[in-house]
Amino acid sequence: LVVACGSGGLYGGGSASSGSASAAAPPSASPTSALCEHAAALRASLDNLKHVNVGPGVADEIKTDVADVRSKLNALTAEAHGQAQAQTSALKAELAKLQTAASDLAANPSADSVAGVATALRGVAGAGSSLLAAVSKDCPSASASPSM
């Protein structure tokens, strides 16, 4: 997955021809590109949650996906240095709700617990979209929402 960060032609979809020796290469280790890489990884993890068919027997899959999203969120949070703090906190809170709902589903596979997981998944999707929108000013490719 390649994520282009920035607003100039340097990052735009230019041709693959070899440029002059004096042409600047995009910085591969800049703070913004690292933030964008973490945002892309978080988006991919959130998309995994979007594809879960909620029902009895999927609680472990959901818990694994939640752990993956948490890991990606922690990496993004560390790179963001306080940016989008309200949105990262909101996503952490929604992930905790989803974790609890998945545990309830595992312990009591019922229509109510399935509905609880579905509701929690929508909360995660909304919080994830808000966070990705907040970092989109630095990473325009992060702005699309992982709607469920």
Side-chain angles (χ1 to χ4, degrees), residues 70-96:
R70 275 194 179 124
S71 171
K72 303 301 190 298
L73 177 58
N74 288 339
L76 177 70
T77 302
E79 192 61 45
H81 305 293
Q83 177 184 341
Q85 193 168 19
Q87 292 86 351
T88 57
S89 294
L91 182 52
K92 286 177 183 178
E94 292 300 328
L95 287 169

Side-chain angles (χ1 to χ4, degrees), residues 8-9 19-20 26 32-34 55 61 67 69 79 82 89 99 110 113 128 140 145 147:
S20 68
T32 300
S33 70
E61 178 184 350
V69 170
E79 192 61 45
S89 294
Q99 184 79 33
S110 66
S113 59
S145 66
S147 60

Side-chain angles (χ1 to χ4, degrees), residues 3-121:
V3 178
C5 299
S7 59
L10 181 64
Y11 299 100
S15 69
S17 66
S18 60
S20 68
S22 63
S28 60
S30 73
T32 300
S33 70
L35 179 70
C36 295
E37 288 173 16
H38 291 304
L42 177 61
R43 171 191 309 295
S45 292
L46 287 167
D47 284 344
N48 283 339
L49 276 174
K50 176 171 71 171
H51 296 352
V52 171
N53 291 320
V54 180
V58 299
D60 288 338
E61 178 184 350
I62 293 170
K63 289 177 184 179
T64 299
D65 288 347
V66 166
D68 185 51
V69 170
R70 275 194 179 124
S71 171
K72 303 301 190 298
L73 177 58
N74 288 339
L76 177 70
T77 302
E79 192 61 45
H81 305 293
Q83 177 184 341
Q85 193 168 19
Q87 292 86 351
T88 57
S89 294
L91 182 52
K92 286 177 183 178
E94 292 300 328
L95 287 169
K97 290 177 189 175
L98 179 55
Q99 184 79 33
T100 299
S103 294
D104 291 346
L105 178 62
N108 180 24
S110 66
D112 285 344
S113 59
V114 168
V117 168
T119 298
L121 280 168

